[in-house]
Amino acid sequence: MAQTSTAIPTIGEEDRLRADFYNFLGLILAAPPDQMLLNQVAGLSGDESDLGQAIGAMARVARVTKPAAAEREFNALFIGLGRGELLPYASYYLTGFLNEKPLAQLRQDMAARGITRARNVYEPEDNIASLMEMMAGMIVGRFGKPATLDDQKTFWARHIGPWAGHFFTDLEGAENSVLYASVGSAGRVFMEIEREAFRMTAA
């Protein structure tokens, strides 16, 4: 996604950690991890929380995963012969078809926020990796000022909340998932945390 601001805004530590995890999910769902990313994941540790345990499990799998195996897994899940095991797009999860109304609505919201698709990205914007990246960028102010919590909540509820949890659950249980099963677990738990946090802000 294109950056529209070079200033480094000040945000709270909790929001920076949220953005970091959204960025991580966007990175590992956009392309197969190389050895450097696998090493980074392998070095993670988690606490006793549900997310901490999911991160710990992901680290354990990453320690025994080679880049070639991760690439085969990624291709089987998301590319395949004709199509992969999963179609990680909001339009598909919400309507059963690609390039439908959810994508058009997303493009409108992206334009309103000054977010544009990077020139070297050809995937529809409603793919899970791009949405994770957009959310991270909104939190830290990559597209202007950091988004308010209300704006984050609106974007999340419209474009991520209705389907991302289902996608991560599918990823967790996919036939070809090994490393990505652990990514699915961590993503699913993180989406549950975000849903509850946004719900509490409305109370």
Side-chain angles (χ1 to χ4, degrees):
M1 298 300 146
Q3 296 187 9
T4 58
S5 174
T6 56
I8 301 175
T10 301
I11 63 169
E13 179 64 18
E14 182 178 336
D15 281 338
R16 190 159 296 282
L17 290 171
R18 287 175 59 225
D20 285 348
F21 203 71
Y22 273 115
N23 262 329
F24 163 72
L25 290 172
L27 187 63
I28 202 164
L29 290 166
D34 58 14
Q35 188 63 61
M36 181 180 295
L37 182 55
L38 286 170
N39 290 344
Q40 290 172 344
V41 178
L44 297 174
S45 59
D47 55 23
E48 293 304 308
S49 68
D50 288 347
L51 183 58
Q53 291 185 47
I55 289 172
M58 192 165 56
R60 289 192 295 273
V61 179
R63 287 182 202 124
V64 296
T65 301
K66 301 297 184 188
E71 183 173 6
R72 285 194 299 272
E73 184 178 336
F74 183 93
N75 289 342
L77 286 167
F78 303 122
I79 299 173
L81 293 173
R83 57 161 281 187
E85 187 176 348
L86 301 178
L87 288 171
Y89 304 96
S91 288
Y92 181 78
Y93 268 80
L94 296 175
T95 72
F97 299 94
L98 297 174
N99 302 314
E100 287 293 322
K101 189 175 181 181
L103 177 58
Q105 292 172 332
L106 173 63
R107 285 172 173 165
Q108 290 175 355
D109 279 353
M110 287 173 63
R113 290 171 172 81
I115 305 172
T116 58
R117 185 167 69 176
R119 291 181 180 178
N120 61 337
V121 174
Y122 303 102
E123 290 271 298
E125 294 91 329
D126 65 339
N127 74 83
I128 190 70
S130 289
L131 285 165
M132 297 294 100
E133 184 185 349
M134 286 181 222
M135 196 70 192
M138 289 174 60
I139 293 169
V140 300
R142 195 179 302 148
F143 311 117
K145 292 181 179 179
T148 65
L149 197 57
D150 280 347
D151 195 27
Q152 292 176 37
K153 179 180 178 180
T154 297
F155 186 89
W156 193 91
R158 191 173 292 167
H159 303 296
I160 297 172
W163 74 282
H166 298 295
F167 163 76
F168 283 119
T169 298
D170 289 346
L171 184 60
E172 201 175 1
E175 181 180 348
N176 290 292
S177 276
V178 182
L179 173 66
Y180 280 91
S182 66
V183 174
S185 297
R188 173 181 55 77
V189 174
F190 184 55
M191 291 300 102
E192 291 168 358
I193 292 169
E194 287 285 274
R195 182 182 301 281
E196 181 62 14
F198 285 133
R199 187 191 68 79
M200 289 175 65
T201 63

